Amino acid sequence: QLYDVVLSIDATYHYAVAEYLNSIQRWLAPQARVGFHLLIKLENHPHISAQLKAKLKWANIKDDQILTRQELIELMMLKGYRNIQIEDQSKAVLSGFAAFVRHKQWSILDKLSLGYLKISMTAKLCQALWQSQAIAYVQVTAQR
């Protein structure tokens, strides 16, 4: 069965974009649309600090798979996509999630859970990404 839309919410940045696009290709109907969230390198900060690389590694994100906006557009065009739109969601997602976790009232029981540890560490990564101004969290949409 072929699909008109394939949407990946808050997960694609764990994979190489080329591999992700290859993996969904067989499921796409002609003229299908895709949407996904991704981390991209900002052109004005071509290098990722060692500290940020370590935090990304903890989150199972390979820094060498993070493309610039231009590299992403070129790759998607090469794979046959058009109408490519890339919308920066960094403030709402990265800064927003970090602020939410920081200001939420957590119970002692919450703070002793593995779930809280994961949420807390993710919030710290989001804050570090936001503060670095080297990596953006984007929403990508395109059509085949």
Side-chain angles (χ1 to χ4, degrees):
Q1 182 175 350
L2 299 179
Y3 297 94
D4 295 325
V5 176
V6 172
L7 181 62
S8 173
I9 300 173
D10 198 33
T12 311
Y13 47 80
H14 289 288
Y15 306 96
V17 181
E19 290 175 21
Y20 171 74
L21 294 173
N22 287 342
S23 73
I24 64 171
Q25 183 149 331
R26 68 184 181 135
W27 301 104
L28 297 176
Q31 309 299 314
R33 294 174 293 147
V34 298
F36 53 92
H37 296 106
L38 198 63
L39 295 173
I40 62 169
K41 283 188 265 187
L42 298 175
E43 278 87 0
N44 57 343
H45 288 281
H47 302 290
I48 301 172
S49 72
Q51 184 180 25
L52 197 52
K53 285 181 182 185
K55 289 178 181 180
L56 288 165
K57 186 176 180 179
W58 173 85
N60 197 30
I61 300 170
K62 296 179 180 175
D63 65 276
D64 61 346
Q65 294 177 347
I66 300 174
L67 306 176
T68 65
R69 175 185 223 99
Q70 189 59 41
E71 290 169 335
L72 175 60
I73 290 169
E74 290 172 8
L75 172 66
M76 293 188 74
M77 289 176 68
L78 185 66
K79 299 275 185 192
Y81 289 91
R82 64 186 195 287
N83 300 328
I84 302 163
Q85 295 182 9
I86 302 172
E87 183 180 333
D88 192 336
Q89 299 286 315
S90 299
K91 184 174 183 181
V93 175
L94 300 177
S95 179
F97 185 71
F100 165 76
V101 172
R102 189 171 48 255
H103 293 105
K104 182 171 174 20
Q105 296 295 315
W106 299 94
S107 72
I108 297 296
L109 200 55
D110 287 337
K111 289 183 176 184
L112 295 174
S113 72
L114 181 59
Y116 173 78
L117 177 62
K118 286 178 153 183
I119 290 169
S120 175
M121 295 303 285
T122 300
K124 287 178 183 184
L125 173 61
C126 288
Q127 186 65 35
L129 291 172
W130 174 246
Q131 287 177 333
S132 78
Q133 297 296 303
I135 295 177
Y137 182 97
V138 297
Q139 175 178 293
V140 181
T141 57
Q143 186 173 12
R144 285 282 289 156

